[in-house]
Amino acid sequence: MRTLSDVRSVSVMLAVYDGAMLFEAAAACEVFGVDRELTDGWYDFRVCAPPRARLTGGWLRVDTPYGFEALADADTVIVPACGDVEAEPPADLVDAVRAAHDRGARLVSLCTGAFVLAAAGVLDGRRATTHWEHTAALAARHPRVRVDPDVLYIDEGTVLTSAGKAAGMDLCLHIVTADHGAAVANELARRLVVPARRAGGQAQFIAVPAVDDTGHAFAELLHWVSGRLHEPLTVPDLAREVNMSTRNLTRRFAAVTGTTPLRWLHTQRVHRAQELLETTDDSVELIAARTGMGTAATLRRHFNRALGVPPDVYRRTFRSHPAG
């Protein structure tokens, strides 16, 4: 399974095929195909497609010198959504995806692109997701795939899948975080004017609010908390701030955001810790205090649980790739 200490992918190839959907293809192009000089060594991005391939609707044709055979050289292969999940994916694309997987490439599907990965057999025995409207069809057609309809995206190491539309952008930013660190991914999200790093385990149906979403029911609370992450805040503290009982806050917060106040708070603390590890020389003990976790042991526990590595390993991985 891919870890933060692995050699980062350099070559990212987007496999466009007849009937691929524009939004997901464009999202991958924006994230991986535009070097905004945020860090050294951005992606070597290519679009691969058969001659005269047309996106959904047939009104936009892809003209690229790279066919599916070029996927053999990719470190990462991205398969965008397909417009017709009932149609069999192109056999040459399925073969190229399977060969890339056998060679050890990282495979990424956006939305219904999961049907292509499933046809290649690379999702067998793995958790995977797709747009909620099509999860039942994916499970029925590919019973060996453990389809999860209730998440934004799933990272299985070398195989990653996402739900529909905006969740595809979430997964792309998640990949940038894994490759270049939280500070770079956050700055990229700001450049693209999208929320930074929604957690993959969030429910598909409910948008997790960005802190700067002023129209959100809990916007003022989220702003209040984000400015006080260094304090030992608890859920009762949050409830008092909005004049609610703890039970009522927990119920309404989950209904609106798809997560609990405590889980959201832990996530914000971990994100802040990531940024401090990347951008400062503060000790783990000081970062624990600055993120409201109190002790280095508590920070290490939550950090390990969220990212799978201890803070010092994360720092060593990403301090050599500072934001530009």
Side-chain angles (χ1 to χ4, degrees):
M1 178 175 287
R2 180 184 174 82
T3 67
L4 289 172
S5 60
D6 290 338
V7 176
R8 289 171 181 78
S9 296
V10 174
S11 174
V12 174
M13 299 193 186
L14 176 68
V16 175
Y17 48 99
D18 277 332
M21 299 187 73
L22 175 60
F23 183 94
E24 289 79 359
C29 292
E30 279 292 323
V31 170
F32 302 105
V34 180
D35 186 354
R36 294 174 172 84
E37 299 183 350
L38 301 176
T39 185
D40 293 334
W42 201 243
Y43 301 93
D44 175 13
F45 180 79
R46 299 177 184 178
V47 175
C48 303
R52 305 182 66 84
R54 293 182 180 272
L55 297 176
T56 297
W59 47 267
L60 184 62
R61 193 183 75 194
V62 177
D63 185 12
T64 173
Y66 305 106
F68 290 150
E69 67 278 0
L71 300 179
D73 297 323
D75 295 307
T76 298
V77 175
I78 300 178
V79 181
C82 56
D84 183 4
V85 299
E86 298 299 324
E88 287 296 321
D92 53 349
L93 174 58
V94 171
D95 290 342
V97 166
R98 186 182 299 114
H101 176 260
D102 291 343
R103 189 178 46 78
R106 176 172 58 181
L107 302 182
V108 180
S109 69
L110 306 181
C111 192
T112 51
F115 283 82
V116 176
L117 268 58
V122 302
L123 297 183
D124 288 354
R126 299 179 186 270
R127 287 180 66 235
T129 194
T130 188
H131 191 289
W132 61 268
E133 286 188 312
H134 304 294
T135 51
L138 182 64
R141 192 175 309 170
H142 300 281
R144 296 183 63 186
V145 180
R146 295 186 287 124
V147 179
D148 188 340
D150 297 322
V151 293
L152 293 176
Y153 57 83
I154 294 174
D155 183 344
E156 285 275 289
T158 57
V159 180
L160 302 88
T161 56
S162 80
K165 300 300 180 187
M169 179 65 78
D170 293 324
L171 179 54
C172 290
L173 290 173
H174 170 77
I175 292 169
V176 173
T177 301
D179 290 346
H180 294 288
V184 170
N186 283 345
E187 179 57 28
L188 176 58
R190 283 190 284 268
R191 300 279 184 94
L192 296 174
V193 197
V194 297
R197 293 183 298 150
R198 292 195 297 173
Q202 299 296 343
Q204 285 196 32
F205 307 116
I206 305 169
V208 180
V211 172
D212 59 355
D213 183 356
T214 56
H216 188 271
F218 288 107
E220 291 186 8
L221 176 63
L222 302 190
H223 277 290
W224 183 81
V225 173
S226 65
R228 294 169 173 78
L229 289 176
H230 59 286
E231 299 178 10
L233 295 174
T234 63
V235 174
D237 292 331
L238 273 60
R240 281 192 293 272
E241 179 65 19
V242 291
N243 297 315
M244 291 184 183
S245 68
T246 300
R247 169 182 274 184
N248 194 28
L249 171 65
T250 299
R251 179 180 58 81
R252 291 185 58 186
F253 197 93
V256 171
T257 69
T259 190
T260 67
L262 183 60
R263 188 175 296 124
W264 181 85
L265 183 58
H266 284 329
T267 299
Q268 302 313 304
R269 295 192 196 284
V270 169
H271 287 175
R272 181 68 58 82
Q274 286 180 269
E275 294 179 0
L276 293 174
L277 287 165
E278 294 177 31
T279 60
T280 75
D281 293 319
D282 291 351
S283 66
V284 173
E285 289 77 11
L286 181 55
I287 290 175
R290 292 183 63 182
T291 56
M293 296 194 198
T295 67
T298 300
L299 169 58
R300 289 189 177 98
R301 183 172 69 252
H302 288 299
F303 206 90
N304 259 308
R305 184 178 301 160
L307 299 177
V309 294
D312 55 342
V313 171
Y314 185 90
R315 168 172 272 167
R316 285 197 301 270
T317 301
F318 290 117
R319 282 306 297 272
S320 60
H321 296 269

